[in-house]
Amino acid sequence: MRFSEYFVQVALLAEKGDVVEAERLLREAESYSLKSITNHAALCAKSWLWYLKNPDNAVRCLLEAECNNSDVRSLLEIAETYIELALHETACRRCIKKAILAATDEEDQMRIQEFFTKHSRYKKIENER
């Protein structure tokens, strides 16, 4: 099965009420996900929350991604997933702060400014260093 197909199957199984098989497939998908690719963690987190109604495992996926990524782009993607899923405000803010501290060049600064433009309520974090 292709990686993306796992999530389709998880959604279908959850819709049918086969939560046990959906969880099994999602854990299998997690085992194939690459820890350095934040989109994989985001897909897993979204599936845990949207289809299996399990915010603890959704947060776990994002925390693992945060621990395995230290570049600005990845940290901002993780923070954005926290925002999108309305999960764990403290962890979201921590990712944003890490991204600010990891910024080393103009491109990183531009990414951070784009993030703050899109998510203006987090703008004050920039001054909390």
Side-chain angles (χ1 to χ4, degrees):
M1 183 179 319
R2 292 177 41 200
F3 185 69
S4 60
E5 290 173 10
Y6 278 100
F7 303 101
V8 173
Q9 291 303 312
V10 166
L12 292 172
L13 288 166
E15 186 178 297
K16 290 180 185 177
D18 192 352
V19 176
V20 172
E21 182 61 13
E23 282 186 12
R24 186 194 69 72
L25 272 181
L26 188 48
R27 289 189 190 283
E28 188 175 321
E30 281 187 42
S31 73
Y32 292 121
S33 70
L34 299 174
K35 301 300 181 198
S36 61
I37 300 179
T38 53
N39 191 40
H40 288 189
L43 286 169
C44 291
K46 289 173 184 179
S47 294
W48 278 114
L49 188 63
W50 291 343
Y51 306 124
L52 299 172
K53 312 298 186 233
N54 189 321
D56 291 337
N57 274 318
V59 169
R60 177 188 52 78
C61 289
L62 296 175
L63 286 172
E64 287 176 3
E66 180 185 344
C67 290
N68 287 297
N69 291 282
S70 59
D71 65 285
V72 172
R73 182 190 54 79
S74 295
L75 290 166
L76 292 176
E77 285 177 8
I78 295 164
E80 195 152 48
T81 304
Y82 277 120
I83 293 167
E84 181 182 349
L85 298 179
L87 287 172
H88 213 291
E89 181 82 16
T90 304
C92 176
R93 290 179 176 280
R94 184 181 57 243
C95 284
I96 296 167
K97 287 178 184 178
K98 283 182 176 180
I100 291 168
L101 293 173
T104 58
D105 58 25
E106 210 172 295
E107 185 178 341
D108 289 344
Q109 293 299 329
M110 185 181 71
R111 280 194 171 108
I112 290 167
Q113 290 311 311
E114 287 172 357
F115 179 89
F116 286 138
T117 299
K118 187 174 181 180
H119 304 286
S120 58
R121 81 175 243 212
Y122 292 93
K123 179 74 172 145
K124 66 182 178 180
I125 293 173
E126 188 174 30
N127 300 322
E128 292 178 9
R129 283 188 191 196

